[in-house]
């Protein structure tokens, strides 16, 4: 532990303001006054309780909704019964403008709540076994798990019961309330499919096999957009999982950094001392010489949302309910609870894509004939089946764009312009760089930002491609366009979807299409082609110029630029710009480029100027990067 201690001391020269705030009192003191605050009204709540201490119990004061609170509920693994779902829905309907959010951590959030109503809401929820304890700020948050667990055909180790025992270590335990340096996210799965983004948490327990035994490999230090590191620890049974979990949260509590809150997650402690040192400390702290890691078995992607239902081991089904962007109603939750009792076994399970399953359904056709499924689809279009969007400016102080409706509007636009009968496209939206919509892990990710149009700052997005969730190969995507105004971003994504529709193989997901086709090009070319094709459509320029499946340029941007210019010139004129080529330039150096305006007097002037720059007779004056060409194909003025 000496190395951990030294790392801690090196970062302990100055405490951040939240750590100083924690020293004022116990969070339980604030929670005990909830009834008093309800009687006194919003103005009676001290600043420190509104800004921090009540958040320890999932009660968030939101500036975006003045004098109204958000309550973040703890629903273990996203599992709730119909009685719980009904009460949650009734609370949202009666006290929260009939609004609620489903989250990417398989939880629920109630909004627009008045302080006067909070004690009543708390009592109603607690009566059915639901609360919001330790769901905010520096606590161990709701633990994620597979929405099917042992009811799925791909389950090897039932894990939900372990999740509940993990909770018992810290939940309602005063020693653990607001005692961590930062929040701590956890996930566990004993399934082969990755249905809970299992690798991107502070601590992850993932199905593994070693020496004929099934257990869990431990991954540490994941967070939004960052995949955890394999700790080289294999846990052979429930007792070892609980011991390892208890050990790592204790280590984080004792040695986690408490200076810069932006660099206080477990990830940064691991960066400082190394994963090997953390693993050694876990073994020592637990007093168990855990085996080294086995083979991780959670390797498959999840496809249930693309089928609308999933057969369970007992022959019944989990029927999917798509909730675009997680925007839900309390009344809709109440009705879902009724349907779960009538058609299912009374269980509803939330998933990581802000949707849920009605479990144990035998009469699937009967359920789907219910009026409910005219509003919420079991199987929506490929643009909606996997749509995620975090809170955005309407509810979150960090949001840069509205986000939820932006995501829905984009999906609806693509549905109209590029309808897909089948396919799989995961579009994940985050309203800011914090990434709560896990945009970096989407097939197409959107990160909110500011973007100028005609000199006026407005809403925009940075667009990412190539995020992956499945297996240890989970990776964050790469940026292909920065600062695209929202009103134009849909045209750029439309370009991608047209190419996906044109080139995809039967049954091919966008992820596989992206690997197979887009993986051959630089990010710069992909982004440029998205804009170029949008320009062609806007200007009614008919050109058959998309992504090729056989590429000779390699990922060399200069070669890509010249080859694009050469092909575009030929497409427009039906003749080559130069008589012969070698290594993506012309062979005869004295040969002059024929001005395309002479061949096509009516050519779009911006395209003519762009081709002049790409194919200039003087090689030294040619464009060699796509950023030089973007001004020619802008659909708007910055």
């Amino acid at each position: 532990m000496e190395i951990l201690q030294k790392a801690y001391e090196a970062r302990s020269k100055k405490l951040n303001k939240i750590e100083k705030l924690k020293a004022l009192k116990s969070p339980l003191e604030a929670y005990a006054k909830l009834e008093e605050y309800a009687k006194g009204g919003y103005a009676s709540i001290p600043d420190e309780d509104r800004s921090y201490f009540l958040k320890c119990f999932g009660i968030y004061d939101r500036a975006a909704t003045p004098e109204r609170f958000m309550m973040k509920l703890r629903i273990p693994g996203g599992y709730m019964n119909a009685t719980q779902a009904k009460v949650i829905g009734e609370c949202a309907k009666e006290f929260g403008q009939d609004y609620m959010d489903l989250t990417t951590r398989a939880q629920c959030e109630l909004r627009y709540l008045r302080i006067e109503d909070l004690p009543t809401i708390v009592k109603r929820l607690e009566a059915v076994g639901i609360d919001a304890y330790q769901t905010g700020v520096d606590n161990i948050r709701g633990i994620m798990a597979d929405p099917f667990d042992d009811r799925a055909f791909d389950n090897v180790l039932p894990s939900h019961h372990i999740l509940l025992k993990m909770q018992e270590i810290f939940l309602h335990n005063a020693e653990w309330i607001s005692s961590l340096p930062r929040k701590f996210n956890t996930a566990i799965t004993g399934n082969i499919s990755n249905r809970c983004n299992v690798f991107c948490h502070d601590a992850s327990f993932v199905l593994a096999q070693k020496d004929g035994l099934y257990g869990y490999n431990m991954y540490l230090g994941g967070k939004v957009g960052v995949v955890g590191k394999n700790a080289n620890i294999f846990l052979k049974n429930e007792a070892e999982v609980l011991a390892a979990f208890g050990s790592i949260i204790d280590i984080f509590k004792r040695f986690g950094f408490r200076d810069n809150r932006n660099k206080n997650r477990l990830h940064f402690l691991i960066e400082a001392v190394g994963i090997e040192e953390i693993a050694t400390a876990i073994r020592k702290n637990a007093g168990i010489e855990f085996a080294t890691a086995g083979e991780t078995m959670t390797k498959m992607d999840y496809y249930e949302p693309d089928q609308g239902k999933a057969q369970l081991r007992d022959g019944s089904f989990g029927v999917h309910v798509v909730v675009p962007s997680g925007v839900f109603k309390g009344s809709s939750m109440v009705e879902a609870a009724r349907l779960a009792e009538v058609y299912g076994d009374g269980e509803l399970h939330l998933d990581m894509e802000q949707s849920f399953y009605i479990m144990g359904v035998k009469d699937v056709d009967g359920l789907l004939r219910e009026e409910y499924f005219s509003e919420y689809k079991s199987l929506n279009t490929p643009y909606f089946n996997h749509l995620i969007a975090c809170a955005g400016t309407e509810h979150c102080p960090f949001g840069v764009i509205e986000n939820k409706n932006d995501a829905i509007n984009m999906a609806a636009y693509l549905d109209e312009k590029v309808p897909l009968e089948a396919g799989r496209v995961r579009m994940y939206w985050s309203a800011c760089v914090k990434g709560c919509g896990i945009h970096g892990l989407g097939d197409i990710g959107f990160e909110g930002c500011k973007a100028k149009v005609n000199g006026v700052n407005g809403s925009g997005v940075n667009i990412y491609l190539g995020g992956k969730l499945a297996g240890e190969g989970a990776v964050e995507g790469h940026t292909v366009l920065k600062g695209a105004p929202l009103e134009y971003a849909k045209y750029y994504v439309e370009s991608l979807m047209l190419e996906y529709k044109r080139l995809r193989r039967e049954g091919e997901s966008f992820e596989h299409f992206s690997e197979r086709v887009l993986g051959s090009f630089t990010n710069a070319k992909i982004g440029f082609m998205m804009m170029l094709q949008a320009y062609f459509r806007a200007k009614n320029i008919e050109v058959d110029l998309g992504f090729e499946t056989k590429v000779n340029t390699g990922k060399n941007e200069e070669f890509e630029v010249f080859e694009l210019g050469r092909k575009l010139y030929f497409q427009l004129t039906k003749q080559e710009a130069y008589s012969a080529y070698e290594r993506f330039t012309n062979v005869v150096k004295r040969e002059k480029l024929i001005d395309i305006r002479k061949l096509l007097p009516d050519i779009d002037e911006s395209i003519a100027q762009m081709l002049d720059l790409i194919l200039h007779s003087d090689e030294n004056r040619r464009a060699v990067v796509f950023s030089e060409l973007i001004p020619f194909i802008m659909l708007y003025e910055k």
Side-chain angles (χ1 to χ4, degrees):
M1 300 287 187
E2 290 181 13
I3 294 175
L4 285 169
Q5 184 64 34
K6 287 180 180 178
Y8 172 77
E9 291 172 355
R11 287 279 301 271
S12 297
K13 302 292 188 293
K14 183 180 180 181
L15 290 178
N16 63 60
K17 63 181 182 180
I18 297 298
E19 291 300 328
K20 293 176 182 178
L21 187 63
K22 290 179 188 179
L24 293 177
K25 59 186 177 183
S26 162
L28 287 167
E29 294 178 49
Y31 195 64
K33 292 186 176 182
L34 200 57
E35 293 270 8
E36 180 183 321
Y37 298 152
K39 292 176 183 176
Y42 183 85
S44 70
I45 310 171
D47 289 344
E48 66 270 17
D49 288 1
R50 282 191 291 105
S51 65
Y52 184 81
F53 290 109
L54 288 179
K55 289 180 182 178
C56 298
F57 307 95
I59 300 169
Y60 283 68
D61 181 29
R62 285 303 195 206
T65 54
E67 299 191 19
R68 294 292 186 270
F69 291 84
M70 179 267 279
M71 180 178 279
K72 183 181 294 186
L73 306 184
R74 182 182 291 273
I75 301 172
Y79 288 27
M80 55 185 169
N81 59 45
T83 300
Q84 293 170 327
K86 181 182 178 184
V87 171
I88 292 169
E90 287 173 343
C91 286
K93 185 178 178 181
E94 185 173 345
F95 303 108
Q97 301 182 18
D98 201 27
Y99 182 91
M100 62 192 303
D101 281 321
L102 306 186
T103 79
T104 57
R105 295 195 60 76
Q107 305 291 292
C108 293
E109 294 175 351
L110 307 181
R111 297 189 183 273
Y112 304 111
L113 308 178
R114 301 187 316 147
I115 187 65
E116 291 84 353
D117 298 321
L118 280 172
T120 301
I121 296 168
V122 168
K123 288 173 184 175
R124 286 196 190 181
L125 292 171
E126 287 181 344
V128 294
I130 296 290
D131 64 30
Y133 247 71
Q134 293 154 274
T135 58
V137 289
D138 301 346
N139 286 287
I140 300 167
R141 306 293 187 86
I143 301 173
M144 290 190 71
D146 189 287
F148 301 132
D149 195 47
D150 60 344
R151 302 181 71 173
F153 280 94
D154 72 323
N155 178 259
V156 177
L157 291 178
S159 303
H160 194 261
H161 69 286
I162 301 179
L163 180 157
L164 297 176
K165 290 185 178 180
M166 293 165 79
Q167 278 192 169
E168 291 175 4
I169 296 173
F170 63 87
L171 193 56
H172 298 171
N173 183 337
E175 294 182 8
W176 286 101
I177 299 174
S178 185
S179 61
L180 298 177
R182 282 289 266 113
K183 68 179 178 181
F184 193 93
N185 290 333
T186 312
I188 183 169
T189 184
N191 293 58
I192 291 172
S193 296
N194 181 11
R195 300 185 184 91
C196 59
N197 185 20
V198 73
F199 295 96
C200 294
H201 303 260
D202 293 278
S204 303
F205 301 88
V206 188
L207 178 67
Q209 189 271 349
K210 183 180 176 71
D211 298 332
L213 296 176
Y214 292 107
Y216 303 86
N217 279 342
M218 193 174 187
Y219 290 77
L220 298 170
K223 59 190 186 78
V224 170
V226 176
V227 178
K229 296 180 181 294
N230 191 326
N232 197 23
I233 289 176
F234 176 78
L235 306 166
K236 63 186 179 184
N237 53 36
E238 174 188 304
E240 289 199 347
V241 171
L242 296 175
F245 176 68
S247 181
I248 187 58
I249 59 176
D250 179 64
I251 288 169
F252 184 52
K253 180 179 177 182
R254 290 160 57 194
F255 300 108
F257 305 138
R258 296 178 184 266
D259 51 356
N260 182 351
R261 283 184 68 79
N262 291 326
K263 295 185 177 181
N264 281 9
R265 292 284 293 275
L266 179 66
H267 171 84
F268 296 101
L269 179 60
I270 293 171
E271 274 195 340
V273 303
I275 190 67
E276 296 81 6
E277 181 61 32
I278 293 289
T280 298
I282 290 170
R283 291 181 170 94
K284 184 175 181 180
N285 201 37
I288 302 173
E289 190 55 38
F290 299 119
T292 55
E295 180 184 356
T296 296
M297 296 182 65
T298 302
K299 297 179 179 179
M300 289 180 59
D301 212 336
Y302 59 100
Y303 284 93
E304 289 80 13
D306 305 302
Q307 318 301 324
K309 62 185 179 182
Q311 186 180 9
L312 307 176
R313 282 185 183 270
D314 64 0
S316 67
F317 289 84
V319 176
H320 196 224
V321 180
V322 181
V323 183
S325 294
V327 177
F328 205 42
K329 294 181 290 190
S331 53
S332 298
M333 183 64 88
V334 172
E335 178 62 5
R338 183 188 74 82
L339 295 174
E341 291 180 321
V342 172
Y343 292 95
D345 57 12
E347 291 286 323
L348 299 96
H349 294 180
L350 301 170
D351 67 19
M352 58 156 283
E353 288 186 326
Q354 300 176 307
S355 297
F356 64 94
Y357 293 89
I358 296 173
M359 301 294 288
V361 177
K362 293 182 179 178
D363 182 8
V364 174
D365 292 338
L367 172 61
L368 296 181
R369 282 195 295 269
E370 288 280 343
E371 182 64 22
Y372 194 77
F373 287 91
S374 64
E375 181 175 5
Y376 301 101
K377 308 296 184 185
S378 170
L379 181 61
N380 210 315
T381 73
Y383 301 113
F384 282 102
N385 281 332
H386 298 274
L387 188 65
I388 284 178
C390 68
T393 52
E394 186 175 353
H395 297 295
C396 177
F398 303 109
V400 179
I401 62 174
E402 195 280 340
N403 206 49
K404 284 186 176 291
N405 284 323
D406 296 328
I408 291 170
N409 291 339
M410 171 80 79
Y413 175 83
L414 295 173
D415 254 345
E416 178 186 352
K417 296 296 183 179
V418 197
L420 295 171
E421 292 182 6
R424 186 171 193 265
V425 185
R426 296 179 302 109
M427 296 198 298
Y428 292 175
W429 288 68
S430 296
C432 72
V433 295
K434 288 183 177 292
C436 295
I438 56 176
H439 63 275
L441 297 175
D443 293 331
I444 308 174
F446 302 87
E447 177 190 76
C449 66
K450 291 297 182 184
K452 282 188 176 181
V453 177
N454 296 324
V456 179
N457 248 342
S459 296
V461 284
N462 299 319
I463 301 177
Y464 290 69
L465 287 182
K468 297 180 184 179
L469 279 172
E472 291 178 285
V475 293
E476 186 173 22
H478 45 269
T479 312
V480 291
L481 281 178
K482 290 186 176 181
L486 268 175
E487 59 263 49
Y488 295 96
K490 61 186 178 184
Y491 305 131
Y492 303 148
V493 179
E494 180 184 358
S495 299
L496 277 181
M497 291 301 103
L498 287 168
E499 290 298 279
Y500 174 49
K501 187 171 185 176
R502 180 176 72 90
L503 296 172
R504 68 188 289 258
R505 294 170 176 168
E506 185 177 356
E508 187 174 40
S509 67
F510 187 87
E511 179 179 314
H512 292 152
F513 161 79
S514 184
E515 285 181 343
R516 179 177 63 86
V517 177
L518 303 182
S520 299
F521 304 100
T522 62
N523 297 336
K525 177 169 181 181
I526 296 169
F528 182 78
M529 289 294 290
M530 291 165 67
M531 297 180 71
L532 179 63
Q533 290 187 344
Y535 186 86
F536 286 155
R537 293 194 302 275
K539 300 295 183 179
N540 294 314
I541 300 172
E542 294 186 10
V543 176
D544 182 15
L545 190 70
F547 291 103
E548 309 91 356
T549 54
K550 293 182 180 179
V551 181
N552 298 317
T553 55
K555 288 191 175 182
N556 184 308
E557 189 173 350
E558 181 177 351
F559 293 170
E560 289 176 332
V561 169
F562 185 84
E563 190 74 350
L564 175 70
R566 172 193 168 189
K567 289 185 176 182
L568 178 55
Y569 190 98
F570 182 82
Q571 279 275 324
L572 292 168
T573 66
K574 305 306 181 213
Q575 69 181 54
E576 289 285 357
Y578 293 101
S579 58
Y581 305 97
E582 183 179 352
R583 292 282 300 167
F584 306 101
T585 187
N586 51 307
V587 174
V588 182
K589 300 306 178 185
R590 294 182 179 180
E591 191 173 4
K592 297 295 183 182
L593 176 70
I594 299 175
D595 188 336
I596 197 170
R597 298 169 187 82
K598 294 180 179 179
L599 303 173
L600 297 172
D602 295 330
I603 190 171
D604 180 273
E605 180 59 23
S606 291
I607 295 299
Q609 290 180 31
M610 184 180 76
L611 287 172
D612 286 344
L613 186 57
I614 297 174
L615 300 171
H616 201 285
S617 298
D618 183 350
E619 275 191 74
N620 295 320
R621 295 174 62 183
R622 290 176 185 168
V624 294
V625 291
F626 286 105
S627 58
E628 296 179 75
L629 308 177
I630 287 177
F632 297 109
I633 58 167
M634 294 287 286
L635 295 175
Y636 58 93
E637 294 289 335
K638 282 193 173 182

